[in-house]
Structures are given as C-alpha cells and as structure tokens.
Amino acid sequence: KKELRILKDDDAITVHEMPASSISSLSVNISTLNDSTLIIATCSELLQYNINTNSLRSVFQSNNYCIRALWKYKDYLFFGTYGSGFYILKNGVVKKMPLDNYQYLLYTHCFMPDGNGFCWISTNRGLFKVAIDDMINAYEKNLSGIYYYYFGKTDGMLTNELNGGCA
C-alpha cells in the first residue's frame, strides 16, 4: 500500500492513503503548487494534495505515459510526459502544448529557465529553447503552434539523448 507521509520530529506520519488508481504507479516527481498544495507526478496521473484539508484529487490522467518533469512558473505548472508531450496546468485547467515539427517533444524530460525569458527543454532527441511568453500565449490563446529553437548533433552535440531528469 502507498501512503503520503510527512516527517514530524523523527516520525513519518501518514497523512493520506494513495488512491487505488495510483497504487501501482511510480511516484516520479513532487512539487509545490502554492503554500498549501503539493503536486505529485506518477506514471498514471498528476495528483493534487491540499495540506490544509488533507484532500487528494487527480488533475490529469495518463495511463500510457509517465509524467516526469514538473516546473512551476508564476500561476502555471508545466509538466512533461514520456511519450505524450508537455502540458500546462493553471487554475485546475490542463492544456496540451503544441509540439515541434518532428514531434521530438513527445518525450519531455526537463524544463530549465535561463533568466533571459527562455526555457530550455530536454528530450531524448535533442534540446529545445523556447520563449516562455510563447508557451504562456499558446496556453491562454489556444494557439496551435509555438516557435522552438532546436539543438542536436548537427549543432556540435555529441549526443542528443538528453533523457535524464533534473531538479
């Protein structure tokens, strides 16, 4: 059985038993959404746990693709999957983001902002640089395309297999 626990003094105290749907799922990542909410990424769903109310709910289900990467930016939570691209969650609404032309972003492993208004996204087929504002606009305006800068072997990389995680 899987449980969500908190550390208090020297004890791990169970605060919530995980739902049956996520029992067989590996918990891949965890992040804060705000002061009272945790986001838990598994291989079957994205869960939202409210610390104040001790409530757990599913905000996204993906039975075929593990949710691997989480990145919080302002009111937006970006999350990447292993095989289904990346998504943005805001105020309980999840939207799938447009992919690159070759669909390399189907396997999104990491989001890394650079401090210059861009986010670098690693995949197992190369590295992408994208304006954060472009991704936000795609979410807010339901745009069907985003301009991505792509870096791969032809750019001097010895490998384009960037499938490790990051934090």
Side-chain angles (χ1 to χ4, degrees), residues 135-151:
M135 292 188 291
I136 299 299
N137 282 333
Y139 178 91
E140 294 295 344
K141 299 176 182 175
N142 296 313
L143 301 179
S144 60
I146 297 174
Y147 184 81
Y148 299 101
Y149 299 89
Y150 173 76
F151 300 91

Side-chain angles (χ1 to χ4, degrees), residues 12-29:
I13 300 167
T14 300
V15 293
H16 208 286
E17 207 169 298
M18 299 301 280
S21 62
S22 66
I23 292 295
S24 63
S25 294
L26 174 66
S27 294
V28 178
N29 205 336

Side-chain angles (χ1 to χ4, degrees), residues 26-31 39-43 45-46 60 65-73 76-89 105-113 119-123 162-167:
L26 174 66
S27 294
V28 178
N29 205 336
I30 189 166
S31 180
I39 292 290
I40 303 164
T42 74
C43 276
E45 60 191 333
L46 194 64
F60 177 81
Y65 307 103
C66 286
I67 300 164
R68 297 178 50 127
L70 298 174
W71 174 51
K72 175 92 169 66
Y73 177 77
Y76 303 89
L77 180 77
F78 292 69
F79 60 97
T81 69
Y82 193 76
S84 184
F86 75 97
Y87 299 77
I88 297 177
L89 166 70
L105 283 164
L106 281 173
Y107 298 89
T108 301
H109 300 293
C110 180
F111 302 96
M112 186 66 64
C119 182
W120 295 77
I121 303 173
S122 65
T123 73
L162 305 172
N163 59 357
C166 73

Side-chain angles (χ1 to χ4, degrees), residues 11 44 56 63 67 76 143 148 158:
D11 295 323
S44 64
L56 185 72
N63 295 325
I67 300 164
Y76 303 89
L143 301 179
Y148 299 101
L158 295 177

